[in-house]
Amino acid sequence: MSAAHQKSDAASEEKQVAISYDVLSQVSHAEGVGMDYELKCNLINRCFQEEIGYGRYQWQLFVITGLGWLADNLWLQGLAIVLPQVQQELNPVRVEYAVLAEFAGLIVGATTWGIMADLVGRRLSFNITLFLAGLFGLAAAGAPNFVTFCSLIACMGFGVGGNLPVDGALYLEHIPQSHQWTLTLLSVWWALGQLVASLISWGFIANFSCNPSTPSGQCAKSANMGWRYTLYTLGALTFLMFVCRFFVFDVQESSKFLVAQGRDEEAIKVLEHIARRNGRTITLKLEDLQAIAGDTTSKPVPNLSTSVRNAFSGMSLSHIRPLFSSRRLTINTTLIIVIWGLIGIAYPLFNAYLPLYLSAQGSASGSSSVNETYRNYSIVSILGIPGSLIACATVDYTRGTGRWLVGGRKLVLAVSTMLTGVFLFLFTTSKTTAAVLGYSCASGLTQNAMYGVLYAYTPEVFPAPHRGTGDALCSALNRIGGLMAPLIKIATTPLGGSASANMANGPVFVSAALFMVAAILTILLPIETAGRMAL
């Protein structure tokens, strides 16, 4: 070998070692991941921060992932909106069973698609969830009886349940650290989902529904098509979102997922593709990643069927154990999962039945207009949007360092959750329609701020190789809580109590208390992610 070649090889090795040690010097070892992965991940993070930036690709991804968050709340609120008319026409023993069916589907969907994201990649779950939600949502609109309706709603929930754990992870893994605050901004789409559902229902249900005074079971289908038109429209919108994801936007697999699987060459191709979309170039090379582990060979690219077969043949607790790999991480993981579970009970106890509560208050005050009920619901939806913007503006505000750090995700999350509980306690004391509307609007604002921070903090605190599983566990317990919500409402509301102005007091009081407990647990979280680069 010539002296020139030897000198070139030595310089190359020196560069690779310098890169590895430079990255190592900038970070402390993260919990739950191997050192090789951490070093590779920090090279990728630096590539996003210094070379790729936040450009055209990220803005388009913000919209596409945002549509998934919109769809989640679109259907959560969409079902809540149509419950009074479903009750009038289909005459179930307890209309709350529809919510029970929805959350049963959401539990299975959140768990399945979240874990699949860690086993075979983010793209499969990302693309298929909206297709299933749109398909079964459209079918539910034509349900001839309540049992069929609940079955189709459960299938819809299975599809839409994968959006939150997968979409947030995929978005976080494609943005630079300087723009991680936009993960909180994604919650604006969640608020828009409620607004879109309320405006659509206001137009249809207010004009194509039976009179509220019509007894349940005596409302003819032909006179009560408003709720079906609403679900047809929501289903069509969800299908349009799927088309945008699958046919319009070329979503890339997560480069962090790929390096965790040892597929470094594919990860580099993904980074190069994103850089081209942003009009940039990158200097990070395959050799830089391979030098970290001393591996100069590339794994073959598996096709989808091979990926699924390999993933399930080796399926174990390998993605769960790292979430509890240290005392600090165990405490944080346990607390965040419990917080998700508590909010999962508290949120639907109030929001899934808000149209029923507003309708009941209107009946008690002598103003039982369907138009007024859905107008008020639309007002609540509109005033929820500023909550996401407030969370986005305050989530990175910190003072101090280390153990004396004040502010950030945890403080905003604790304050917004506690204020939600306070406003719901006040809701139970309401005697007038104006008071009910006012406290509903206030709680809507603080709830959206709370969810905005929670959706940002959760994927940030889990490392990429296990992020889908961590998000899935949180989302699954959240949905299990939602499954318990209708049971609590049934237990705290007498049969036939929907006409009572005080029908909401029991379930809403429970909801408020659970929000307060969740706020206290938030303060105890040992890990703050503000200002930290997500692995």
Side-chain angles (χ1 to χ4, degrees), residues 295-376:
D295 181 13
T296 58
T297 61
S298 297
K299 289 188 176 183
V301 179
N303 56 36
L304 179 60
S305 61
T306 302
S307 296
V308 173
R309 184 171 61 253
N310 292 343
F312 283 97
S313 64
M315 195 170 179
S316 67
L317 298 176
S318 60
H319 287 290
I320 296 179
R321 290 194 188 99
L323 303 178
F324 302 89
S325 60
S326 69
R327 182 176 180 274
R328 184 166 174 260
L329 199 56
T330 296
I331 294 173
N332 204 86
T333 300
T334 302
L335 284 178
I336 196 63
I337 290 175
V338 171
I339 289 168
W340 272 96
L342 292 174
I343 292 175
I345 302 173
Y347 183 85
L349 263 179
F350 178 71
N351 291 275
Y353 304 103
L354 184 54
L356 290 175
Y357 300 154
L358 294 175
S359 178
Q361 179 61 44
S363 299
S365 61
S367 175
S368 57
S369 165
V370 173
N371 182 69
E372 182 175 338
T373 296
Y374 288 93
R375 180 207 66 187
N376 291 347

Side-chain angles (χ1 to χ4, degrees), residues 90-127:
L90 302 182
N91 194 27
V93 176
R94 301 295 303 230
V95 75
E96 292 90 345
Y97 291 142
V99 179
L100 197 70
E102 180 182 34
F103 276 91
L106 289 171
I107 292 168
V108 179
T111 306
T112 301
W113 301 119
I115 293 177
M116 284 282 285
D118 278 344
L119 294 176
V120 298
R122 291 20 172 169
R123 290 181 67 185
L124 175 65
S125 299
F126 185 77
N127 285 323

Side-chain angles (χ1 to χ4, degrees), residues 26-48:
Q26 295 179 27
V27 295
S28 58
H29 182 55
E31 297 162 294
V33 297
M35 180 62 75
D36 287 347
Y37 168 78
E38 185 180 356
L39 293 174
K40 290 182 179 182
C41 192
N42 278 280
L43 283 176
I44 291 172
N45 281 337
R46 197 168 65 175
C47 181
F48 271 111

Side-chain angles (χ1 to χ4, degrees), residues 198-222:
S198 61
L199 293 177
I200 290 172
S201 64
W202 187 9
F204 284 127
I205 295 179
N207 294 291
F208 302 98
S209 297
C210 294
N211 190 290
S213 61
T214 305
S216 296
Q218 298 182 26
C219 175
K221 176 182 176 180
S222 58

Side-chain angles (χ1 to χ4, degrees), residues 27 33 45 81 92 121 150 232 253 281 294 302 310 354 376 404 418-419 505:
V27 295
V33 297
N45 281 337
I81 287 166
C150 288
Y232 280 132
E253 183 56 85
T281 58
N310 292 343
L354 184 54
N376 291 347
W404 305 110
M418 188 166 292
L419 286 176
N505 285 358

Side-chain angles (χ1 to χ4, degrees), residues 143-163:
N145 55 62
F146 190 66
V147 173
T148 304
F149 177 75
C150 288
S151 301
L152 293 171
I153 286 294
C155 294
M156 178 279 297
F158 173 72
V160 81
N163 279 304

Side-chain angles (χ1 to χ4, degrees), residues 66-78 81 186-200 234 237 241 347 377 381 385 448:
L67 291 177
W69 288 34
L70 185 150
D72 188 275
N73 209 19
L74 185 78
W75 283 104
L76 188 64
Q77 303 302 327
I81 287 166
L186 269 178
S187 64
V188 169
W189 292 95
W190 166 270
L192 285 173
Q194 179 173 339
L195 177 60
V196 170
S198 61
L199 293 177
I200 290 172
L234 299 186
L237 281 175
M241 296 176 199
Y347 183 85
Y377 190 77
S381 302
I385 294 176
N448 277 291

